[in-house]
Amino acid sequence: MARRVGLSAKTVSRVLNGDGPVADDTRARVMAAVAELGFRPNLMARNMRAGTSDSAVGLVVPDMGNSFFGTVAGAVEAAVRRRGLTLLVGSSGESAEQEGAVIGSFLARQVAALLVVPAADADHSRLRREQDGGLPLVFLDRPAAGLAADSVLSANREGAERGTAHLIAHGHRRIAFVGDRPATLHTRRERHRGHLDALAAAGLPADPRLTVSAHDAPAAGEATLRLLRSPEPPTAVFAANNTASLGIVPALAAAGRRDVALVGFDDLPLAAVLEPGLTVVAQDATAVGTAAAELALARLDGDRSAARSRTVPVRLVPRGSGELPPAG
């Protein structure tokens, strides 16, 4: 580049970095060469030399293929792009070790802000030094562990209570709960509490035999069918996340069990065109992502207030599966 315009590398650097006085005609020559050559400065190398933050924001999610996290990422990207920032996304695969590795790579790049959907059993106390140093940290969907930090969560407990109460209102008394694993996972724990709240409010016993865990779709479907073959089967199922719903819906269809009511937590693509349509407690993934980005940007703008937690409301969407009456 410097040879192309007949200038010193230092002068070209001043133009590209805007870090010193340069004559107008010199700036014009450099920028013309930039346009002609399609030159892109190495921001990472520049930032490492200068000790400054990158123009990127890092986002860590558990599963790239989950539609909820995909929508969250899209909302974060739209918000930070308006501020001239680029979004980098990495997956933890629900592994605390892999989450740490992805975070480490983002920190090495000196991202301007870090947003994390925590993996199960992860410890975030190791990020205290970065937080004290001014790095904006926001946790989505689940709160940080071992660290007081900004978070954006859905109304998990309230939503699960509403979904289970909906099944109770349609006559069901034995309602299975199919949740994620491990049972210590924040969203799983809160949704199970909401499920139990609804049973207690209706004066119904909580039968532990009706609570099962499954981390993937096939396991959720198989666990549900095992419950339905038991001596005292449930007449309805509350699926505590969209992955569970993705397993339960085809499993019930393959078994010809059109008599089992189902409410899922979190919506699914094409849920409305199923027969019957899938009744869900719908999260607002766009609102979750947007709120998280706004918190991070506020920190970038100098907000040094205490850690805040925002709760995004959920809504019940009746479509038919959750309105089926008990068989017999």
Side-chain angles (χ1 to χ4, degrees):
M1 170 71 77
R3 288 195 299 270
R4 179 63 174 261
V5 295
L7 298 169
S8 69
K10 185 175 182 179
T11 299
V12 171
S13 177
R14 283 180 179 175
V15 173
L16 296 177
N17 296 326
D19 59 1
V22 180
D24 290 343
D25 62 333
T26 299
R27 179 177 290 104
R29 287 164 60 191
V30 171
M31 297 313 294
V34 166
E36 181 181 349
L37 298 174
F39 176 76
R40 290 186 176 88
N42 188 331
L43 294 177
M44 183 176 180
R46 179 197 304 168
N47 294 336
M48 291 178 70
R49 289 194 300 269
T52 58
S53 296
D54 193 6
S55 60
V57 170
L59 170 65
V60 185
V61 299
D63 180 4
M64 294 283 201
N66 188 303
S67 60
F68 173 78
F69 297 123
T71 302
V72 166
V76 172
E77 196 273 338
V80 302
R81 187 179 63 239
R82 290 193 289 269
R83 292 286 295 271
L85 299 167
T86 300
L87 182 67
L88 306 176
V89 184
S91 173
S92 69
E94 283 289 12
S95 162
E97 182 179 357
Q98 186 170 322
E99 177 190 294
V102 175
I103 288 175
S105 68
F106 286 164
L107 294 179
R109 180 174 176 134
Q110 296 185 284
V111 290
L114 180 63
L115 291 76
V116 181
V117 179
D121 301 326
D123 178 13
H124 303 103
S125 60
R126 65 184 183 277
L127 292 172
R128 187 167 290 110
R129 183 176 65 178
E130 284 75 20
Q131 185 185 51
D132 291 343
L135 177 68
L137 292 172
V138 183
F139 292 82
L140 302 83
D141 190 51
R142 311 161 187 172
L147 184 71
D150 292 334
S151 63
V152 179
L153 314 173
S154 290
N156 292 293
R157 186 168 181 170
E158 176 189 341
E161 180 179 9
R162 190 180 305 173
T164 300
H166 185 74
L167 291 167
I168 294 171
H170 284 81
H172 297 278
R173 297 297 179 265
R174 289 186 59 77
I175 303 169
F177 177 93
V178 182
D180 202 351
R181 61 163 46 112
T184 55
L185 191 68
H186 174 81
T187 46
R188 200 267 194 198
R189 186 175 65 245
E190 288 298 295
R191 293 169 192 175
H192 189 232
R193 286 173 176 170
H195 172 73
L196 296 178
D197 289 343
L199 295 177
L204 298 175
D207 186 344
R209 294 172 298 178
L210 295 180
T211 295
V212 296
S213 299
H215 186 58
D216 58 39
E222 291 168 5
T224 300
L225 293 178
R226 283 197 300 271
L227 286 173
L228 294 173
R229 291 192 294 266
S230 65
E232 297 181 85
T235 62
V237 178
F238 181 79
N241 58 30
N242 55 8
T243 300
S245 295
L246 282 170
I248 295 169
V249 169
L252 292 177
R257 295 300 303 267
R258 300 177 62 86
D259 57 331
V260 180
L262 174 63
V263 171
F265 198 109
D266 204 12
D267 214 346
L268 292 174
L270 303 179
V273 301
L274 297 173
E275 184 56 46
L278 180 62
T279 295
V280 298
V281 176
Q283 300 187 84
D284 191 339
T286 297
V288 169
T290 300
E294 288 174 348
L295 281 173
L297 293 172
R299 297 298 186 189
L300 274 176
D301 290 338
D303 183 351
R304 295 294 180 265
S305 60
R308 291 170 289 178
S309 180
R310 294 186 183 178
T311 300
V312 177
V314 297
R315 61 191 179 94
L316 181 72
V317 184
R319 295 195 179 110
S321 69
E323 294 70 59
L324 296 174

XYZ file of all heavy atoms in Angstrom, residues 23 28 45 52 201 211 221 296:
43
model
N -2.141 15.857 5.355
C -2.638 16.805 4.353
C -3.801 16.196 3.579
O -3.849 14.974 3.356
C -1.505 17.186 3.394
N -6.430 11.861 0.349
C -7.184 11.485 -0.847
C -6.439 10.407 -1.633
O -7.054 9.469 -2.151
C -7.408 12.722 -1.717
N -4.853 -7.217 14.575
C -3.445 -6.899 14.803
C -3.289 -5.480 15.315
O -2.490 -5.200 16.207
C -2.665 -7.093 13.505
N -6.131 -1.774 22.553
C -7.504 -1.276 22.602
C -8.482 -2.388 22.249
O -8.106 -3.467 21.809
C -7.696 -0.113 21.607
O -7.361 -0.583 20.293
C -6.789 1.051 21.979
N -51.426 -25.059 43.119
C -52.541 -24.109 43.110
C -53.865 -24.810 42.828
O -54.927 -24.365 43.289
C -52.291 -23.026 42.063
N -42.093 -36.868 36.175
C -41.052 -35.917 35.789
C -39.865 -36.676 35.218
O -39.290 -37.542 35.889
C -40.592 -35.077 36.993
O -41.676 -34.256 37.433
C -39.412 -34.188 36.624
N -38.869 -37.910 23.169
C -39.975 -38.702 22.641
C -40.062 -40.071 23.279
O -41.150 -40.528 23.660
N -25.394 -4.184 26.933
C -23.968 -4.158 26.614
C -23.555 -2.804 26.047
O -22.506 -2.246 26.416
C -23.636 -5.272 25.626
